[in-house]
Amino acid sequence: AQSVTQPDIHITVSEGASLELRCNYSYGATPYLFWYVQSPGQGLQLLLKYFSGDTLVQGIKGFEAEFKRSQSSFNLRKPSVHWSDAAEYFCAVGANTGKLIFGQGTTLQVKP
Amino acid sequence: ETGVTQTPRHLVMGMTNKKSLKCEQHLGHNAMYWYKQSAKKPLELMFVYSLEERVENNSVPSRFSPECPNSSHLFLHLHTLQPEDSALYLCASSQVPAGVQETQYFGPGTRLLVL
């Protein structure tokens, strides 16, 4: 069965520090992978997605993610975090049926 | 209006009330989704409409009744809800998948509180 695990429920980083949010998935075929961000009181905004090709994917707001098939991972990274990045981040895996399976989310807090 | 809009943004209702949530997408998509987001739980897919036909119903209680009158509008009719139904209800839309995963675009959600 498809599943997504985000091991870190809550992460705190200092402004300007680098960030890595972990995502592990379970899926039998080639996965379609997504990262979404949700600011307080808002819906989900797509940060980036991986369908095929280059395993390092660039997204909006300076985020990138790397697909590692051998580790079943799709970790999200940003070299320098800004205070406005404080939000909840969701990893999701999708099948060709159009259904998305989401992880439980990681809340990012940014210290000044 | 652009993207996916949802109304109302906040709703408080009693367990005997009947209310409806509305979603409208302005992206030319033809698939629409309802999700439930509860605290500390992953997003739960409730319903999927593709080309105005319901294609998925994830064991959702009958007190939730979806309606998709056309490809741009999606409703969620609520009646005799329970306090545990309090959550953020998110609507999303996408193109109908044709063997590949299409990106889903989300609305801001309706925050529902059932008293």
Side-chain angles (χ1 to χ4, degrees), chain B residues 6-35:
Chain B
Q6 291 186 243
T7 54
R9 292 294 308 276
H10 301 272
L11 179 62
V12 179
M13 60 187 289
M15 288 190 285
T16 57
N17 291 158
K18 289 185 179 181
K19 296 286 184 184
S20 296
L21 310 185
K22 179 183 176 182
C23 174
E24 184 173 0
Q25 60 93 4
H26 310 267
L27 300 169
H29 291 161
N30 47 22
M32 297 188 78
Y33 311 77
W34 279 117
Y35 287 87

Side-chain angles (χ1 to χ4, degrees), chain A residues 35-97:
Chain A
W35 274 101
Y36 284 88
V37 61
Q38 184 179 33
S39 298
Q42 300 298 314
L44 276 68
Q45 180 184 21
L46 180 68
L47 283 176
L48 48 78
K49 60 188 178 185
Y50 171 78
F51 283 6
S52 65
D54 193 346
T55 56
L56 185 62
V57 181
Q58 301 298 319
I60 62 171
K61 304 185 181 186
F63 285 92
E64 66 178 26
E66 187 171 12
F67 170 57
K68 293 186 177 180
R69 184 186 299 274
S70 61
Q71 299 176 18
S72 298
S73 69
F74 188 57
N75 294 347
L76 182 71
R77 300 193 294 248
K78 186 169 185 178
S80 178
V81 169
H82 188 262
W83 64 266
S84 60
D85 293 324
E88 191 156 19
Y89 292 79
F90 293 92
C91 181
V93 62
N96 57 9
T97 59

Side-chain angles (χ1 to χ4, degrees), chain A residues 9 32 34 36 38 41-44 46 49 51 88 90 94-100 102-104 107, chain B residues 9 33 35 37 40-43 45 56 58 88 90 97 99-109:
Chain A
I9 295 175
Y32 301 100
F34 303 80
Y36 284 88
Q38 184 179 33
Q42 300 298 314
L44 276 68
L46 180 68
K49 60 188 178 185
F51 283 6
E88 191 156 19
F90 293 92
N96 57 9
T97 59
K99 185 174 178 178
L100 280 179
F102 284 86
Q104 72 219 49
T107 300
Chain B
R9 292 294 308 276
Y33 311 77
Y35 287 87
Q37 187 179 27
K40 307 303 179 187
K41 292 176 68 175
L43 272 77
L45 179 65
E56 183 137 1
N58 268 1
L88 182 68
L90 291 165
V100 294
Q101 175 70 52
E102 296 290 339
T103 301
Q104 292 182 23
Y105 294 86
F106 285 80

